[in-house]
Amino acid sequence: MSVNAGSGSRPRSHIVLTSHGAPTGVAADAPVLNWGAPDPKVRGPIVATLTDPKRRNAIGTHAGGYAVYRALAISAGALPADFKADLTNTAPSDLIGPHPQWGDPKKIVSLDPFGHMVGEVFADEIAAGLDVRPTIAVTRAHIDMPEIRDAIRAGRLKIDGDIIGPKGDVRVTKAAIDPVWYLPGIAERFGVSEGQLRRDLFEYTGGMFPELVTRGDLKAFLPPIGGMTLYMFGDVAKIGDGVTPLACRVHDECNGSDVFSSDICTCRPYLAHGIEICVEMAQQGGTGLVVYNRKEGRALGEVTKFLVYNARKRQEGGDRPDAYFKRTECVAGVQDMRFQELMPDVFQWLGITRIDRFASMSDMKFNALARAGIEIGERVPIPEELIPPDARVEMEAKVSAGYYSGGAFNSSYDATQGRGLKE
């Protein structure tokens, strides 16, 4: 069976399926998936089990971003192939939902809104032997950041024994979310046919998931990509209640800056500033939310990002704002692959309809939320004093490209201040 990429000038890879026959259909006792049904029993569980393939109703595997490691563990004899998770005492630390948006199949297409509840709402199915696993986990923790302690010393935040503990640690509720894609909804969100989406996902992953083209009856896909982590501040029950003010930062992963404080971008400073805004709002009786997406290097990857760094600094004239996006496109073919169209789904999961303070300069994020019907009050740009000297090229390029700055950013850039690459 040969599968083509579609019409037009798009290259055809002619991947041939030699070991996968015609669709066999879902087994009679496999759960039916009614995406968008507000009752989980009617909606049905997401089943991506490998222990009983005939009862699967989803393509891919749970924790897809780690699927290859799991396969390696099985190959190495470290993990039984038929292992089933024991979900005892894994229930969420805080109740989230259900919200009205869960019953609208167009509102949420990239995650399972019942993904944190499977141990409870599908307890009978699990007891009967069905291998159902959570795709969302909710727990409580504390975070300790030097930037928060700096804000306490400066008097911008205060130790209250509730949101901020006596040592400057911040109490949070965390949620980890693995992606679950409802393929008809994903296709509609991006304005392509479901068939075209399936063919492209199959071909341009090197034929990784043949069921995308052999099993049109399977509508859910657990892609092998990173998910997201939520950090919630204040009373989680009040997030999305439509009354309590909400501050928010939507942040896309940048390991070099977020973890190691690399100064060529503003990612960690803006993340820390967003967290401060969220903590401040929580201390004033509101709530705060940080959405941390695993989309390293604008979802182009860290290798591509480092190649772009080299290209920017070695070009004639050094690192320049006018070439910032061009050099990315030369290396990667596109400027950005984060596709913010899917980002609002997590806000729908939380029942959010309004963000009062939004710590972001990105029009892509703002517009995606607006299209999803989420109202945004104040937009909060990064304060200029938090911009590292070597990151001013990035800021100049973004502001010149139309990013929101609120007039707070001084866009006069001196090309001589950009540091070159040290050999």
Side-chain angles (χ1 to χ4, degrees), residues 248-371:
C248 177
R249 165 74 180 162
V250 175
H251 191 89
D252 295 323
E253 180 183 30
C254 177
N255 182 69
S257 179
D258 296 343
V259 178
F260 295 99
S261 298
S262 172
D263 65 351
I264 196 172
C265 64
T266 60
C267 293
R268 182 180 174 101
Y270 213 165
L271 174 61
H273 183 59
I275 291 173
E276 180 179 332
I277 289 172
C278 289
V279 172
E280 178 185 42
M281 181 68 83
Q283 289 194 321
Q284 294 173 353
T287 57
L289 169 67
V290 172
V291 179
Y292 193 90
N293 292 299
R294 296 317 194 284
K295 296 178 179 179
E296 176 64 63
R298 299 186 194 140
L300 302 171
E302 201 165 33
V303 169
T304 295
K305 181 164 72 170
F306 286 10
L307 294 174
V308 172
Y309 286 168
N310 285 350
R312 282 169 48 192
K313 293 184 175 184
R314 286 173 172 153
Q315 67 189 336
E316 184 178 355
D319 199 2
R320 308 190 316 272
D322 63 302
Y324 178 84
F325 291 110
K326 293 178 183 177
R327 294 309 302 153
T328 301
E329 193 166 353
C330 287
V331 174
V334 295
Q335 294 180 4
D336 197 314
M337 290 197 309
R338 285 174 291 182
F339 296 120
Q340 302 296 351
E341 288 86 348
L342 300 178
M343 177 267 293
D345 285 22
V346 71
F347 291 86
Q348 310 287 13
W349 178 63
L350 291 167
I352 293 170
T353 57
R354 175 181 169 83
I355 301 169
D356 294 271
R357 301 196 75 200
F358 186 48
S360 174
M361 295 171 64
S362 170
D363 283 344
M364 289 186 290
K365 295 174 183 176
F366 175 87
N367 292 336
L369 289 166
R371 285 193 296 269

Side-chain angles (χ1 to χ4, degrees), residues 23-32 53-58 215 217-218:
T24 57
V26 177
D29 59 346
V32 175
K54 290 185 177 181
R55 304 188 76 184
R56 288 163 57 87
N57 65 3
R215 295 292 302 273
D217 56 316
L218 301 181

Side-chain angles (χ1 to χ4, degrees), residues 90-153:
T90 63
S93 62
D94 293 79
L95 180 64
I96 295 176
H99 294 288
Q101 292 95 318
W102 297 15
D104 186 336
K106 295 181 182 295
K107 294 284 189 183
I108 300 176
V109 300
S110 63
L111 60 88
D112 176 11
F114 299 104
H116 57 312
M117 297 180 171
V118 300
E120 295 74 46
V121 298
F122 300 120
D124 293 342
E125 289 83 350
I126 293 172
L130 193 63
D131 188 8
V132 188
R133 305 192 186 188
T135 57
I136 301 175
V138 184
T139 191
R140 292 182 181 180
H142 293 82
I143 59 174
D144 188 359
M145 298 177 63
E147 292 89 344
I148 294 298
R149 293 196 296 271
D150 290 343
I152 294 170
R153 283 192 291 268

Side-chain angles (χ1 to χ4, degrees), residues 27-280:
D29 59 346
V32 175
L33 187 63
N34 297 298
W35 195 269
D39 183 339
K41 291 291 189 180
V42 176
R43 203 294 301 272
I46 300 290
V47 183
T49 177
L50 299 176
T51 59
D52 190 0
K54 290 185 177 181
R55 304 188 76 184
R56 288 163 57 87
N57 65 3
I59 301 166
T61 68
H62 288 296
Y66 297 92
V68 174
Y69 285 112
R70 184 169 61 248
L72 181 59
I74 293 171
S75 182
L79 176 68
D82 60 352
F83 173 80
K84 289 186 179 181
D86 179 356
L87 301 179
T88 303
N89 294 329
T90 63
S93 62
D94 293 79
L95 180 64
I96 295 176
H99 294 288
Q101 292 95 318
W102 297 15
D104 186 336
K106 295 181 182 295
K107 294 284 189 183
I108 300 176
V109 300
S110 63
L111 60 88
D112 176 11
F114 299 104
H116 57 312
M117 297 180 171
V118 300
E120 295 74 46
V121 298
F122 300 120
D124 293 342
E125 289 83 350
I126 293 172
L130 193 63
D131 188 8
V132 188
R133 305 192 186 188
T135 57
I136 301 175
V138 184
T139 191
R140 292 182 181 180
H142 293 82
I143 59 174
D144 188 359
M145 298 177 63
E147 292 89 344
I148 294 298
R149 293 196 296 271
D150 290 343
I152 294 170
R153 283 192 291 268
R156 298 192 304 272
L157 297 175
K158 62 181 182 299
I159 293 175
D160 57 9
D162 180 19
I163 306 299
I164 301 181
K167 296 181 179 180
D169 54 312
V170 180
R171 179 174 59 86
V172 297
T173 296
K174 302 193 298 184
I177 302 177
D178 279 336
V180 178
W181 288 5
Y182 178 58
L183 292 171
I186 296 285
E188 182 177 355
R189 189 78 61 90
F190 285 93
V192 300
S193 70
E194 182 185 343
Q196 184 68 63
L197 175 68
R198 285 174 173 266
R199 287 193 295 272
D200 289 344
L201 288 173
F202 168 68
E203 291 212 14
Y204 297 106
T205 58
M208 187 179 291
F209 295 100
E211 288 175 319
L212 286 165
V213 292
T214 65
R215 295 292 302 273
D217 56 316
L218 301 181
K219 299 297 185 180
F221 174 42
L222 281 62
I225 59 175
M228 70 181 74
T229 307
L230 310 185
Y231 291 82
M232 294 170 277
F233 305 83
D235 187 348
V236 173
K238 293 182 178 179
I239 293 179
D241 66 3
V243 177
T244 306
L246 172 69
C248 177
R249 165 74 180 162
V250 175
H251 191 89
D252 295 323
E253 180 183 30
C254 177
N255 182 69
S257 179
D258 296 343
V259 178
F260 295 99
S261 298
S262 172
D263 65 351
I264 196 172
C265 64
T266 60
C267 293
R268 182 180 174 101
Y270 213 165
L271 174 61
H273 183 59
I275 291 173
E276 180 179 332
I277 289 172
C278 289
V279 172
E280 178 185 42

